[in-house]
Amino acid sequence: MKVLIEATIENFNDLITAIESNSNLADVKNQLETAIAMQDHDPSKEVPKEGDHPIIDRFE
């Protein structure tokens, strides 16, 4: 099941704290933490730059 939830980072952190002690919700906790970490991810920065090797990733 997929659910769209609109909340502040603080609300999500409170939710993570609330479910931390329940091992049955560990996967949900991990998904929330990943979503928070990826919130400001800009995929346009992943486009190869001029001079990048087409197979070897650039490490910054």
Side-chain angles (χ1 to χ4, degrees), residues 48 52-59:
D52 281 353
H53 190 279
I55 297 175
I56 301 172
D57 290 335
R58 176 172 21 117
F59 294 97

Side-chain angles (χ1 to χ4, degrees), residues 6-53:
E6 292 184 26
T8 65
I9 295 296
E10 292 78 21
N11 292 143
F12 281 121
N13 286 329
D14 290 343
L15 181 58
I16 289 169
T17 301
I19 66 174
E20 252 177 342
S21 61
N22 188 335
S23 62
N24 292 332
L25 297 174
D27 186 48
V28 174
K29 177 184 165 255
N30 290 338
Q31 289 180 54
L32 288 170
E33 290 173 333
T34 300
I36 290 169
M38 296 297 289
Q39 171 189 339
D40 295 324
H41 178 70
D42 183 4
S44 68
K45 294 179 182 175
E46 295 178 8
V47 177
K49 304 285 186 203
E50 184 177 335
D52 281 353
H53 190 279

Side-chain angles (χ1 to χ4, degrees), residues 1-4 31:
M1 175 192 302
K2 293 184 180 187
V3 177
L4 176 65
Q31 289 180 54

